[in-house]
Amino acid sequence: MSGRREAYPLRVLPRRRILARLALGWERLWPALWPPLGVVGLFLLVALLGLPLLLPSWLRPFLTFFFALAAIYAGIRGFRGVAVPKPSEADRRLEAASGLAHRPLAALADRPAGNDPVALAVWEAHRRRTTASIDKLRVGLPRPGLARRDPIALRAGLGLALGAALVMAGAEAPERLRRALLPEFGLAVAAPALRLEAWVTPPAYTNAAPIFLDTAGGEVTVPQGSRLQVALSGGSGGAPELQLGGEAMPFRALDAQSWAAEARLDQGARLVIRRNGSEVAGWSLTVQADQPPTAGFSEPPARAQRGLALRLPWQAEDDWGLAGLVAEFRLVARPQAPAHAIDINLPSVQPREAHGIAGPDLSAHPWAGLEVEVQLLARDGAGQEGRSNPARVTLPERAFTHPVAVALITLRKALSLDPTARREVRAELDRLSGAPEAFEHDTTTFLALRSARHRLLRDQRPAAVEEAQDLMWETALALEEGRADRTARALEQARAELREALEQQLREQAEREQAEQQERTPEQAQEQDQQAQEQRAETDRRIQELRDAIRQHLEALAERLQQENAESMTTDPQNRLMDRRDLERRTDRMREANRDQRPQDAERELAELEEMLRALEEGRTPQNEAAERNRQQRQRGQQQMGVVQDMVRRQTQMLDSGHRRAEVETQRQEAERRARQLQNRAPWSRQPQQPEPPPGQPNPAEAEGRTDAARESLTQRALRRALGEVMQQFGDLTGEIPAPLGRADQAMREAQEALAQGGDARTPQQTAIRELQEGGRQMAQQMQRQFGRGEPGEGEGEGEGEGEGEMFGQGQGQNGQEGGQENAQGQGPGRDPLGRRSREAPGAQDNGSDTRVPDEAELLRTRRIQEELRKRGAERTRPQEELDYIDRLLRRF
């Protein structure tokens, strides 16, 4: 039994020695293998990344040969001094790994020197103890010691790089390794396929889309001044050449296989692209010359039937659109005098055909009462001008009754006819100032006369004559009018300037919206934003001037009524001519609409304010104030419904913008997917592209989309704030707020949050549009129940109230009560089915007494409804039934 225990370690010992020698061999072999394996791994990394494919074909074998030499050299250096482990080294490893002292394995191979039995017995006992001590031999794990030779762990970095390169190469990894190891010496690399793109960009003022030329050739007609751009890539041969008519222009090289060329097209010619003496493509270009605009008078200019305005019926047209129209006035008696120019507002932005009637009031001009020659000057986007035939007309002038005012106007005309007649005018001014009883000894008038006289005497500038004429005009008006008339004139001027500023802001807003659809540089966008801010500041200043003018006019009216002891002047603060607080609210709304870039709302507030001023001029008495207040409340309710209708329109525009942005994003993703497919198919043959944006930074298309979404988020917030104001005002007016408006506010809030986060806001926007339409219908019904349709002779409730119900989809047949009131008001005795008084009615006279001329606010509202109908009619993707209905609404009978 003891013999078996003693023989077991001896039987295991040879196998442990083999394992120990293998461990020692690995510890010596692996450090020697690592340098050549590292070179091979570096070569595999370079090959998987496709870097050899970027080198010329003749240079690739040298790269492979270089890596082979590097691997051989690293292997020779690494295997230098490497030897096979000896058995004694294996025993030492076993003893060291097992923790045995005194080298017991060496004692097993020793023999005693003599044959003494006692010595042999002692040796046998020692041998048994040694055998027992080596019963549990351990080989241990190999320790090559690479960490000492590679302290920064380059081997780990190389392994990670190889794994990443293998993932990037994907299915192309075998082909890349093959082409790196086996370069094709005898086969020529096929040239990339020829790709030609040519397009013509018309001038910006034409607003025409780019014209892409067919590579098969043909005939093309382009506007004059267009820009030709040609891009050619791939193919074999040298640089191409562009021949335009008899002129040859070389291409500029973008890289080794890509070229581009540009040319301006001012005249028709044969366009040919040649390469290596052969024609690649050719077109016959016909250049359409930009004709100058034409302008003329549809009727001879004359004085307007009412007032002091000049009636100028005009018409103008241009092949690409009118940029501006000016009326120039020249004095017939003095043709060398500088012309007086007046800008005529066009009905839209760059219309191709336009006509209208301008009514400038030149009664305050120094040429008033004199014969002038008027000529229209039209200008197009290219800067070309077209003039009409001149027409002669006498400018209307104001009639004065005060003797001194009449004399001053006569002197003013004399200076217009002959600016050198200063001495005669000074003598007449001395005569007028020497008789102060003629102007009631007014000190202001005396100082004005002396100031004009000394200005003509001492100031020899040509502009001094005009300054003296202006001073004479102001003095004549002061003598002829009182303070109320002067403030009314100043108020009218402030209203006209504010309306002009709002119209200019609307035109610039339309131009900015049109420019946003085109490509803009950051500098152009910043410049346009700066211009918009300046325009808003100018409009805000005009609003403040109007506010001051209204306050001064009210004070002047109060003074005049007090001086005349008018009985219509009441002390009841509830029956004032105009509520100052209402004035403050309306001007504040105009300012808020201006700051929120809503000039349409500001223009609507101005129209309402003008209606109140007209009521003031008509001198409405307190007896009909209750009916007037009811009409104003009904009008405010209709205006609030108009605001809701405008919100539906603007919300629809934002929804359309969201659809367009989603389509652009889908097209961009599809283009990126196709580009990735082409890259994966043949990455070595693709043309150099623009560099990808850094990680974490969106591409320009995504950045532009987020910018548009952020801008629309601000607009959505402004719409929601305006809806809250409408809800509050309608609640104050009727005492009840329709529930759909509250749901529309919630949907707007969801849309605003989605746009702020760059998400899709189309679903809540559709909900907001639906709820706004329903809320508008309920508002119309509530207004009908509470205020009715108004007086039959009033006309406003009949026209605008019905229009609001129709615009929100509420027919007359949906409400039986409305039909009853309609019959009660319009289908009475002596009236036809349309509510008009018949000729057979007793006491009826066809004098138009029941006909009311629509005021400016109604005309403005009608124009906006027509513009909205035309815009919807132009969207041919709408249902055919809706398009037919819109056509019937727009058809003129």
Side-chain angles (χ1 to χ4, degrees):
M1 186 68 180
S2 62
R4 286 199 301 269
R5 288 197 304 267
E6 179 181 354
Y8 176 75
L10 296 179
R11 290 198 307 269
V12 176
L13 182 58
R15 187 167 59 253
R16 299 295 174 83
R17 283 177 174 172
I18 294 174
L19 293 177
R21 293 184 70 181
L22 291 176
L24 288 174
W26 177 253
E27 291 177 353
R28 296 177 182 180
L29 182 62
W30 178 239
L33 286 175
W34 167 242
L37 290 179
V39 175
V40 173
L42 185 60
F43 174 76
L44 294 177
L45 177 63
V46 172
L48 290 175
L49 292 177
L51 298 180
L53 304 179
L54 302 178
L55 299 177
S57 58
W58 61 269
L59 190 58
R60 298 175 192 171
F62 292 97
L63 180 64
T64 306
F65 184 69
F66 169 76
F67 275 101
L69 288 180
I72 294 173
Y73 176 75
I76 293 174
R77 287 186 56 87
F79 281 94
R80 184 183 300 171
V82 177
V84 179
K86 299 178 181 180
S88 59
E89 294 175 347
D91 291 344
R92 302 292 82 77
R93 177 180 178 82
L94 289 173
E95 293 171 352
S98 303
L100 301 178
H102 307 296
R103 302 177 65 178
L105 295 179
L108 295 177
D110 293 340
R111 293 291 185 269
N115 294 323
D116 186 5
V118 177
L120 291 175
V122 173
W123 178 254
E124 188 63 26
H126 174 65
R127 191 170 181 274
R128 284 196 299 271
R129 286 195 300 269
T130 300
T131 302
S133 64
I134 63 174
D135 189 13
K136 297 181 181 180
L137 289 177
R138 298 292 183 269
V139 178
L141 296 176
R143 295 184 177 86
L146 283 180
R148 295 191 303 271
R149 301 188 180 187
D150 186 15
I152 60 176
L154 290 177
R155 60 192 186 280
L158 181 59
L160 290 176
L162 278 174
L166 186 60
V167 173
M168 292 175 60
E172 297 181 359
E175 179 63 20
R176 293 187 181 185
L177 292 177
R178 186 190 68 79
R179 298 191 65 179
L181 292 173
L182 302 175
E184 300 173 356
F185 292 101
L187 298 178
V189 179
L194 179 64
R195 182 177 181 182
L196 174 63
E197 293 182 355
W199 66 95
V200 176
T201 303
Y205 66 85
T206 62
N207 295 324
I211 303 173
F212 291 89
L213 304 182
D214 189 1
T215 56
E219 297 182 357
V220 183
T221 301
V222 298
Q224 185 178 14
S226 300
R227 196 75 180 174
L228 170 68
Q229 293 179 316
V230 181
L232 189 145
S233 61
S236 60
E241 185 181 42
L242 177 65
Q243 291 184 356
L244 184 59
E247 182 181 359
M249 294 175 290
F251 280 68
R252 71 175 186 275
L254 301 178
D255 55 28
Q257 292 291 332
S258 301
W259 295 268
E262 296 182 2
R264 179 182 172 88
L265 304 178
D266 292 325
Q267 58 184 358
R270 174 68 179 173
L271 174 63
V272 179
I273 301 176
R274 295 184 179 276
R275 191 176 189 183
N276 297 332
S278 60
E279 180 177 328
V280 178
W283 301 271
S284 296
L285 296 180
T286 302
V287 175
Q288 180 182 358
D290 187 5
Q291 301 296 329
T294 59
F297 294 104
S298 56
E299 298 177 9
R303 179 172 178 171
Q305 296 181 356
R306 295 181 181 180
L308 299 175
L310 183 65
R311 189 173 184 271
L312 299 176
W314 59 270
Q315 57 185 6
E317 62 179 348
D318 184 68
D319 49 359
W320 290 112
L322 296 167
L325 183 64
V326 178
E328 290 186 350
F329 296 85
R330 295 187 182 274
L331 190 60
V332 175
R334 194 159 56 91
Q336 70 278 8
H340 177 67
I342 295 179
D343 292 331
I344 298 178
N345 294 328
L346 298 175
S348 60
V349 179
Q350 290 187 349
R352 297 196 175 187
E353 295 182 2
H355 60 86
I357 300 177
D361 186 358
L362 299 178
S363 59
H365 196 270
W367 296 349
L370 302 177
E371 188 179 15
V372 297
E373 191 176 75
V374 59
Q375 190 176 23
L376 296 177
L377 174 63
R379 187 179 67 258
D380 61 5
Q384 301 182 103
E385 296 181 351
R387 292 181 176 270
S388 66
N389 295 326
R392 291 192 176 186
V393 65
T394 300
L395 293 181
E397 63 175 338
R398 177 172 180 170
F400 290 86
T401 58
H402 196 282
V404 179
V406 173
L408 289 175
I409 295 302
T410 303
L411 295 177
R412 188 166 175 256
K413 286 184 181 180
L415 287 176
S416 298
L417 295 174
D418 186 10
T420 61
R422 296 192 179 196
R423 179 177 299 178
E424 294 79 1
V425 175
R426 290 200 307 269
E428 186 64 21
L429 289 175
D430 289 337
R431 187 188 65 79
L432 293 175
S433 61
E437 63 277 0
F439 48 84
E440 295 84 22
H441 297 273
D442 184 51
T443 305
T444 303
T445 304
F446 177 79
L447 293 177
L449 294 176
R450 302 306 296 174
S451 175
R453 188 260 183 197
H454 286 287
R455 183 163 297 178
L456 292 175
L457 176 63
R458 301 183 182 277
D459 194 346
Q460 299 301 321
R461 294 179 301 113
V465 176
E466 298 179 2
E467 296 173 358
Q469 288 177 320
D470 293 340
L471 187 56
M472 294 178 190
W473 173 258
E474 296 294 336
T475 306
L477 287 180
L479 292 173
E480 188 71 20
E481 301 175 348
R483 182 189 174 191
D485 295 331
R486 291 196 301 270
T487 55
R489 183 164 44 85
L491 176 58
E492 181 63 27
Q493 182 179 359
R495 287 163 54 187
E497 291 177 352
L498 177 56
R499 182 168 295 279
E500 182 180 358
L502 290 175
E503 291 177 355
Q504 178 67 20
Q505 191 171 355
L506 283 172
R507 289 194 299 268
E508 293 183 357
Q509 184 177 4
E511 292 176 358
R512 287 195 302 271
E513 292 177 355
Q514 185 176 4
E516 288 177 357
Q517 299 177 0
Q518 303 176 356
E519 296 182 357
R520 297 185 303 167
T521 61
E523 292 77 9
Q524 292 176 347
Q526 184 177 3
E527 182 180 358
Q528 291 179 357
D529 294 341
Q530 182 67 24
Q531 292 177 356
Q533 293 178 1
E534 293 177 357
Q535 183 64 32
R536 288 196 298 270
E538 176 67 17
T539 305
D540 192 75
R541 186 177 66 83
R542 298 295 185 186
I543 294 173
Q544 182 62 35
E545 291 179 356
L546 177 63
R547 189 173 181 174
D548 297 338
I550 293 175
R551 184 175 62 252
Q552 294 175 4
H553 185 53
L554 293 178
E555 294 175 356
L557 287 179
E559 291 179 1
R560 186 173 67 180
L561 291 176
Q562 187 175 5
Q563 291 175 359
E564 297 175 356
N565 195 17
E567 296 180 358
S568 60
M569 187 65 183
T570 178
T571 57
D572 188 359
Q574 299 297 329
N575 294 328
R576 291 177 296 180
L577 293 175
M578 178 174 287
D579 193 351
R580 294 276 181 96
R581 291 177 297 179
D582 195 8
L583 168 64
E584 299 289 338
R585 285 196 297 268
R586 293 192 182 278
T587 53
D588 290 341
R589 292 173 192 167
M590 293 172 65
R591 284 183 172 178
E592 184 177 357
N594 181 44
R595 296 191 185 98
D596 294 341
Q597 301 183 14
R598 293 183 285 114
Q600 298 90 348
D601 298 342
E603 194 173 9
R604 184 183 299 109
E605 293 291 340
L606 177 60
E608 297 174 1
L609 189 60
E610 289 175 345
E611 174 64 23
M612 298 178 66
L613 293 175
R614 277 191 293 272
L616 176 64
E617 294 173 357
E618 293 173 1
R620 298 175 184 172
T621 59
Q623 285 74 14
N624 59 0
E625 189 175 1
E628 178 68 17
R629 185 182 302 109
N630 188 18
R631 188 191 68 82
Q632 290 180 358
Q633 290 177 351
R634 186 170 59 256
Q635 183 180 5
R636 285 199 297 268
Q638 293 168 355
Q639 291 166 356
Q640 291 165 5
M641 289 188 291
V643 173
V644 174
Q645 175 188 347
D646 186 67
M647 288 182 182
V648 173
R649 179 180 61 82
R650 300 191 65 178
Q651 194 70 56
T652 303
Q653 293 177 354
M654 295 181 63
L655 179 61
D656 295 340
S657 178
H659 286 310
R660 289 194 299 268
R661 192 164 55 251
E663 292 177 359
V664 171
E665 180 65 20
T666 303
Q667 294 175 1
R668 184 186 63 82
Q669 294 178 357
E670 181 66 19
E672 291 181 354
R673 184 182 65 81
R674 294 180 178 177
R676 285 195 298 268
Q677 290 180 352
L678 293 175
Q679 179 181 359
N680 293 332
R681 291 175 182 173
W684 55 85
S685 62
R686 69 177 185 271
Q687 300 299 327
Q689 300 177 354
Q690 297 181 354
E692 295 292 336
Q697 180 180 356
N699 55 33
E702 293 179 353
E704 183 178 359
R706 294 181 181 178
T707 303
D708 294 342
R711 182 165 56 252
E712 290 187 1
S713 175
L714 298 178
T715 306
Q716 187 70 68
R717 183 178 63 182
L719 283 177
R720 185 188 174 203
R721 185 164 57 247
L723 177 60
E725 184 176 354
V726 169
M727 294 169 62
Q728 181 180 0
Q729 293 175 2
F730 193 79
D732 296 339
L733 183 64
T734 62
E736 183 180 356
I737 301 176
L741 297 183
R743 295 193 292 269
D745 180 78
Q746 176 67 19
M748 286 184 177
R749 184 180 66 82
E750 296 176 358
Q752 175 187 347
E753 294 176 354
L755 290 172
Q757 297 175 0
D760 189 1
R762 289 179 290 175
T763 300
Q765 286 177 347
Q766 292 174 352
T767 304
I769 293 173
R770 186 169 57 254
E771 297 297 340
L772 283 174
Q773 292 174 343
E774 178 63 25
R777 284 191 290 269
Q778 294 188 13
M779 289 173 67
Q781 295 174 0
Q782 190 170 348
M783 287 290 298
Q784 173 65 26
R785 290 193 302 268
Q786 188 165 352
F787 299 107
R789 290 187 179 271
E791 297 290 337
E794 190 173 313
E796 185 168 344
E798 297 176 2
E800 294 185 2
E802 294 173 5
E804 288 296 335
E806 292 178 2
M807 288 305 295
F808 285 110
Q810 180 181 353
Q812 296 178 358
Q814 295 177 3
N815 195 338
Q817 184 179 358
E818 291 183 3
Q821 294 182 0
E822 180 88 15
N823 294 331
Q825 294 180 3
Q827 301 292 337
R831 293 185 178 269
D832 61 6
L834 297 179
R836 298 171 297 188
R837 187 181 299 275
S838 62
R839 297 180 181 271
E840 292 78 10
Q845 297 180 2
D846 191 10
N847 55 3
S849 59
D850 60 345
T851 302
R852 187 179 66 88
V853 178
D855 55 14
E856 189 173 355
E858 295 175 352
L859 293 176
L860 178 63
R861 190 186 200 91
T862 303
R863 285 198 301 269
R864 287 181 178 167
I865 293 176
Q866 291 177 351
E867 291 176 0
E868 180 65 21
L869 289 175
R870 291 191 181 96
K871 178 181 177 182
R872 296 188 180 184
E875 299 175 358
R876 309 313 296 179
T877 57
R878 293 180 176 270
Q880 188 61 36
E881 294 81 0
E882 181 179 356
L883 295 177
D884 295 340
Y885 177 68
I886 293 175
D887 292 339
R888 290 196 300 272
L889 291 177
L890 293 176
R891 188 179 302 124
R892 293 180 181 269
F893 294 95

